[in-house]
Amino acid sequence: MSSRLDDELSRLVSAGVLRQYQADSIRDAADAEIDAALADPGRPLSPQEPAGPEPAKAEEEPAPVHTSALVEVLGYIGGALLLGAVALLTLANWGEMGRAARITTGTAAAVVLLGSAVVLALLRRREQLSSALAALGCCVAGFATFVAVEGEAGRVVGVAVALALAAGGLWWLKEPSLLVATFGILAVGVLVITADVLTPDTGSAANSAGIAGTGFILVAFVFAMLGLVRDQVTSWSLAGAAMFSSSICWLVQERGEIMALAVGTAGPAALLVAYGRTRRSAYAVVGCSILLVIWPTALYQLTDNLAGVAIGLVVASAVLLLAVLMLSRRRSNE
């Protein structure tokens, strides 16, 4: 098989255009064509040569599109109802429930969600539903662990358990919903580690915000790397969301407006460059949304004057428009 075809298939899988099994099917078909040509290279292909009896066409079975969609929706609703029931039961009776009842409730919900996800995955049916149930199950398992351990240690261990399960599911199922769950767990982990591990008891909330901002930068780096091996659009969009979260934290930090501007500009700039190369609209939407929130807020905190905000936005707009003109001119010259 041509290495060029292999490289192109790998690029399409990393970009989320093809699934891995689809790329494998294309690769196998190409190998079969090459093997057939090598086995009988001298056979002339004449249009007059009869191609032999036409095989009987197999009866086309109607694809159960509506039934499949219905089962998918029922699965999502079932998982959501189970999670909602656990949440309502916990909130309504938390004070009256004993520790054993709390642990049993959370553990049972996690086992049902994760067990359903594993069964569907082993049967190779409904991969999206399986990954969605797994994503919910990871979060519920983390909560059940927190209830079982309790205290600051319970929060840290709960995040670790949820993250380990999400990482295993992401390695196995390779679906975007597990990327979203991993992002949520890492975000909670950043806040938990900041509050319970890295921030001293005498520290202020404003000072700990900078630690959380640094943590979210690390989360963005993790998702930037995940985009090289998993769903690139979802991973890099979540990396942009992590940069946005970091910018918000730096806005809370004392004299952190400059850092908020730097982080809130670097993330969207990377996403807009990715949009220019791939034309994926998600990159442009996330990047522009971050700029529109962070720049006015940070400039207002810096200047405490709406006129300063307007001047800063005009300067930013001029820079962006100049970049567009330069890139357009360069493209036309090429």
Side-chain angles (χ1 to χ4, degrees), residues 92-172:
N93 303 289
W94 184 260
E96 301 173 0
M97 293 173 65
R99 185 167 179 268
R102 296 175 183 176
I103 296 174
T104 302
T105 301
T107 303
V111 168
V112 170
L113 290 170
L114 292 174
S116 302
V118 169
V119 170
L120 289 174
L122 290 175
L123 294 176
R124 298 187 179 277
R125 301 285 181 87
R126 316 198 184 282
E127 295 179 352
Q128 293 184 352
L129 176 59
S130 175
S131 63
L133 294 176
L136 293 175
C138 294
C139 299
V140 175
F143 172 75
T145 305
F146 158 67
V147 173
V149 179
E150 293 183 339
E152 295 181 359
R155 288 191 286 271
V156 175
V157 175
V159 168
V161 169
L163 185 58
L165 290 172
L170 187 61
W171 172 79
W172 185 19

Side-chain angles (χ1 to χ4, degrees), residues 308-330:
V309 175
I311 293 172
L313 293 179
V314 168
V315 173
S317 174
V319 172
L320 289 174
L321 292 176
L322 180 61
V324 169
L325 291 175
M326 294 177 64
L327 291 174
S328 301
R329 182 178 179 182
R330 179 181 178 182

Side-chain angles (χ1 to χ4, degrees), residues 6 8 12-13 15 30 45 71-72 84 103 114 154 159-160 213 299 305 318:
D6 192 36
E8 185 66 19
L12 292 174
V13 170
L45 296 177
V71 173
E72 195 94 3
I103 296 174
L114 292 174
V159 168
L299 288 174
N305 189 332

Side-chain angles (χ1 to χ4, degrees), residues 146-304:
F146 158 67
V147 173
V149 179
E150 293 183 339
E152 295 181 359
R155 288 191 286 271
V156 175
V157 175
V159 168
V161 169
L163 185 58
L165 290 172
L170 187 61
W171 172 79
W172 185 19
L173 299 176
K174 308 179 181 67
E175 290 292 331
S177 55
L178 282 162
L179 283 170
V180 177
T182 302
F183 174 79
I185 295 168
L186 284 175
V188 174
V190 167
L191 299 178
V192 167
I193 292 175
T194 299
D196 295 338
V197 178
L198 300 180
T199 302
D201 296 335
T202 58
S204 65
N207 292 329
S208 63
I211 301 175
T214 304
F216 279 111
I217 293 176
L218 296 177
V219 173
F221 177 78
V222 169
F223 277 91
M225 295 298 101
L226 279 175
L228 301 177
V229 294
R230 289 294 181 263
D231 188 334
Q232 190 176 88
V233 176
T234 304
S235 297
W236 286 3
S237 298
L238 290 173
M243 295 294 277
F244 173 74
S245 302
S246 176
S247 300
I248 296 297
C249 292
W250 284 109
L251 286 175
V252 178
Q253 173 73 19
E254 293 178 3
R255 295 182 295 278
E257 294 85 1
I258 299 298
M259 190 64 182
L261 278 175
V263 175
T265 303
L271 288 174
L272 293 176
V273 169
Y275 170 74
R277 291 181 174 274
T278 63
R279 290 294 186 267
R280 298 283 184 174
S281 58
Y283 298 148
V285 171
V286 175
C288 292
S289 300
I290 296 173
L291 287 174
L292 290 174
V293 173
I294 296 301
W295 269 78
T297 308
L299 288 174
Y300 184 75
Q301 287 191 197
L302 277 172
T303 62
D304 198 19

